[in-house]
Structures are given as C-alpha cells and as structure tokens.
Amino acid sequence: MAHRIPTTHVGSLPRTDELLAANDRRARGAIGDEEFAAVLADGVRRVVARQRETGLDIVNEGEYGHITSGPVDYGAWWNYSFSRLGGLTMTDEDRWANPDIVRSTPGRLRLTSFPDRRDRAAFRAAYEDPDSGILTGRAAVGNPRITGPLTYTGAGAVGADIRLLLEALADAGLAPSDGFIAALSPGSAARMRNEYYDDDVDLLAACADAMHEEYRAITDAGLTVQIDAPDIAESWDQINPEPTVSDYRDFIALRIDAVNRALEGIPEEQVRLHVCWGSWHGPHTTDIPFADIVDLVLSVRAHGYSFEAANARHEHEWRLWQHVGLPEDKVIIPGVVSHSTNVVEHPELVAERIANFVQVVGPDRVIASTDCGLGGRVHPLIAWAKLASLVEGARLAGDRLDA
C-alpha cells in the first residue's frame, strides 16, 4: 500500500457568486441577517463538499464567514476581525491609501504605512499602475482605529462559523478533527492604528486576550485553529529604514509571546500556525529570509507550522530544514502550490517539492498545502485547478515513497 501524504490549504477559498452577491446586498441593507445566513450555510456546505471531491484531507469552511469586499480581496483574513473586536472606531481610510511616514530607529522599531513599505518604494510605479497586476481589482476597505479597551465581541459570528463547518463535515462523513478554522494572530490585530494603548506590550496583551476567546471557541468544538500570523515575517518590509536582524527578532519576539499568551490552555495538537510574506502579487524583494526567524516561529506552541515554499522568493528555502531541528512531535505544512501566480503547477513539480521536505524531515511529518489563501487572490477556476494539482502531486509523492 502506498504511503499517503495528507493535503490541506491555508484557508481562504473562492466565494460563490451567490455569496458574493449576498455580501454586497447585505452591506447595502438590501437583505437581512436571516436571508444572508441561508446563503452562507449553503455556500459552506458546498465548499466543504467540493474540497472532499477534490481529494483534500484537512478542510475548512473556506473562510466564507469572513466577509469579502468583492471577488478580489487580499485582506479578508484580517478585515473580518473589525466586526469581532470591541474598542474600535471605524474609518473610511483604506490601508493602502494611508500617507503616513513612520521612521524607525535602532532599538525602536515601528511599523510605517502600507504605501511607505520598502518593496513598494522600490517599485512604486509598478505598484501604482492599475494594470500591473499587483493590486488590480481590489476594492478600498475602511480600516478602524483602536480607541478603547479591546474586547472580543464575535462570539455569535465565530459560533456560526463553527456550527456550519461541523454540519458540513458531518454531511461529508468527516470528523471535527478533519476541519480547521483560521483566526487572526494578536500581532496582526495590533497593526491597526492604535490611539489607546501606551505601548506595544500592552497592545499585544490586549489583542492576545481578545483573540484567545475565538481560538478557544474553535478548539472547544474539536476543530483545529489556524493562527494567521503574516505579521511575523511580513512586518520586516513595513519597517523603514531596514532594521538589523537582531532588532527585528526582538520586535517579533513580542508578537510570538502574544501568540503563546493567546494559546494558553489550548491543546497544542489543535493548533497550527501560518506564516507568510503577504498575499499581494508584488515583487517581494524585501522579504526577510525564513532562516532568520524560523527558530522563533518554532517557539509558538503549535503542532503544525504552515509557510510559503512554492513562490519564486522562497521555494529555495526548503534546504534550511536540513539544519533546523524540527521537534519530534511537530509537523510542517509547506506550501507547494502558490497563490501569487496564475500558472497551475504541474503535479510532477508538486511531487518534487513535497519530496524535498519528506527527505529532510520524514514522510509522516509533512502535510502538503498552499502558500497562502487562494480565495480573492486568483480566479476560482485557477484556484480549484491548483488544489487538484496539489492533491495529485501528493499522491505521486506518496506512491514514490514505496517504489
């Protein structure tokens, strides 16, 4: 019998046309909560069934309860939290339009605005060209400011996510342990404009305590929580001028501590951490090498570690696992198909990418995945083709282990 390499993905899947229309109509007040809930429930049932038909092993609800601004949306993984946290004041300010310039100094790192990121500065004309393909088609999204004590107000929303996923898993003949729900990391939540807390330590603690309630609800239901923490790697590009690696490690160590604070009392076997360098289709020449932070990533109290390993800036980094000691009770969840290209990876290439990791850490410690969420980043037809290629590549890799 051939060895089986399990498959999953990072979370966001293409929304159905019906759900996108319902999102829009709900935002305009054209439908009520009950009608929207019916569309959402049908969408979740269908997306779970389609994941199983495609052959994925560990599935989710597609993040369908994380409302999107349209077919192209790079930020729904973060924006959903705006309606689940108290202490925020909404604005109409889109994060990519914020003109602020913030400069860091040695030993005192601060995030600058999105337009002032170093990759954007290096390729400004490309970023600002609507036909370049970098940010094409996205709608502006208003971002909040933190103006009071942060609290978690999303019990009803996450409860609906949980209930719909559990029902869809049961319909598909799957157990709760076969499902996961993605949730925002404290460090990512803390990237909102802060007008209330005195310093990062207090802000991160408040974010951790608020998000703990979402993590707890997901895991109490028997599901796995995926902590979406692009802030751990992506923030490097948002610090201007470029800091020393030592200063940056100190900066993200606070964010790692916040994740672990938020995970207190939650079983490690029900936690996986997702790290990426952002989901926009830019050059990414200022990404920090994974080798510079991987030990800090592994200090998060999780069972699995998801990271980008298929895109052109990070595919070569599989070799670092030849030198990094993966704890015996942990697994890695490398991306072997990418969200940053419309090219559908050939299953043979997917199998080769999987084999690189298998030969280093062993076949029982690899779960094949995507680099990041596919929903809102590539066309639905392409997204599902990528997932099919992922599954076929994993089958090929497993077959060859016993050849």
Side-chain angles (χ1 to χ4, degrees):
M1 180 177 178
H3 194 96
R4 200 161 188 281
I5 304 294
T7 56
T8 188
H9 61 95
V10 168
S12 182
L13 293 174
R15 276 54 166 180
T16 63
D17 290 341
E18 294 82 1
L19 184 56
L20 287 171
N23 274 330
D24 180 63
R25 293 172 64 201
R26 187 191 195 195
R28 292 185 287 106
I31 61 172
D33 290 345
E34 186 173 341
E35 184 176 348
F36 177 79
V39 176
L40 177 60
D42 180 64
V44 169
R45 179 186 58 78
R46 286 197 278 161
V47 78
V48 170
R50 187 165 185 181
Q51 288 171 78
R52 288 300 293 148
E53 291 164 4
T54 303
L56 291 164
D57 298 295
I58 305 167
V59 305
N60 79 333
E61 83 304 2
E63 296 186 16
Y64 278 20
H66 296 183
I67 295 175
T68 57
S69 60
V72 177
D73 190 332
Y74 305 107
W77 63 274
W78 178 6
N79 301 337
Y80 89 94
S81 68
F82 302 164
S83 62
R84 298 191 187 187
L85 291 172
L88 307 181
T89 297
M90 285 302 301
T91 77
D92 59 1
E93 182 183 84
D94 179 72
R95 66 178 66 105
W96 281 101
N98 177 5
D100 290 354
I101 294 176
V102 178
R103 290 293 172 261
S104 293
T105 55
R108 188 171 185 267
L109 304 190
R110 299 184 297 156
L111 297 178
T112 190
S113 61
F114 272 57
D116 190 47
R117 300 180 78 128
R118 290 183 281 112
D119 194 64
R120 177 159 180 154
F123 297 91
R124 188 166 300 281
Y127 271 87
E128 294 177 358
D129 181 350
D131 298 320
S132 69
I134 295 179
L135 297 173
T136 301
R138 69 175 291 273
V141 175
N143 282 229
R145 300 184 180 195
I146 301 171
T147 55
L150 284 171
T151 58
Y152 187 72
T153 61
V158 73
D161 293 342
I162 292 166
R163 175 178 56 79
L164 293 176
L165 178 55
L166 290 175
E167 290 173 355
L169 288 170
D171 288 345
L174 298 173
S177 58
D178 297 314
F180 74 96
I181 289 179
L184 190 69
S185 71
S188 292
R191 291 199 294 177
M192 293 180 280
R193 187 190 293 264
N194 170 38
E195 298 177 351
Y196 181 79
Y197 292 95
D198 290 335
D199 54 39
D200 274 3
V201 174
D202 290 343
L203 172 59
L204 287 163
C207 290
D209 292 346
M211 293 310 301
H212 169 83
E213 297 189 35
E214 184 158 286
Y215 306 166
R216 171 65 79 179
I218 293 166
T219 54
D220 280 353
L223 300 162
T224 292
V225 63
Q226 174 182 288
I227 312 299
D228 281 342
D231 57 288
I232 293 174
E234 184 193 332
S235 295
W236 169 262
D237 172 56
Q238 203 176 343
I239 296 169
N240 210 335
E242 179 180 309
T244 65
V245 171
S246 176
D247 275 355
Y248 185 71
R249 284 173 58 86
D250 290 343
F251 178 85
I252 64 170
L254 293 176
R255 283 130 186 96
I256 297 287
D257 289 345
V259 176
N260 284 330
R261 176 183 177 123
L263 290 171
E264 287 182 6
I266 293 175
E268 284 189 17
E269 61 269 19
Q270 287 179 257
V271 178
R272 66 191 214 185
L273 178 76
H274 173 63
V275 176
C276 71
W277 286 260
S279 60
W280 71 92
H281 302 333
H284 285 272
T285 57
T286 53
D287 287 0
I288 191 169
F290 197 22
D292 288 342
I293 60 172
V294 66
D295 59 321
L296 294 174
V297 170
L298 291 175
S299 70
V300 170
R301 293 195 291 268
H303 173 64
Y305 302 92
S306 160
F307 52 89
E308 293 187 62
N311 74 51
R313 295 300 300 186
H314 296 283
E315 182 177 1
H316 66 285
E317 292 180 325
W318 69 267
R319 293 179 179 85
L320 71 84
W321 296 98
Q322 295 171 335
H323 313 290
V324 172
L326 181 66
E328 291 185 4
D329 58 340
K330 310 293 186 179
V331 300
I332 56 173
I333 312 172
V336 290
V337 299
S338 178
H339 64 294
S340 63
T341 175
N342 287 327
V343 177
V344 176
E345 294 83 351
H346 196 286
E348 290 286 355
L349 175 61
V350 173
E352 287 182 9
R353 288 171 170 169
I354 293 171
N356 286 336
F357 290 100
V358 165
Q359 71 179 349
V360 176
V361 302
D364 297 322
R365 308 178 73 192
V366 175
I367 300 173
S369 186
T370 60
D371 268 354
C372 201
L374 298 176
R377 285 80 181 263
V378 293
H379 190 277
L381 289 175
I382 296 173
W384 287 104
K386 283 176 174 283
L387 291 173
S389 190
L390 164 65
V391 170
E392 176 61 12
R395 184 193 65 78
L396 292 172
D399 287 349
R400 289 165 187 168
L401 287 172
D402 298 321

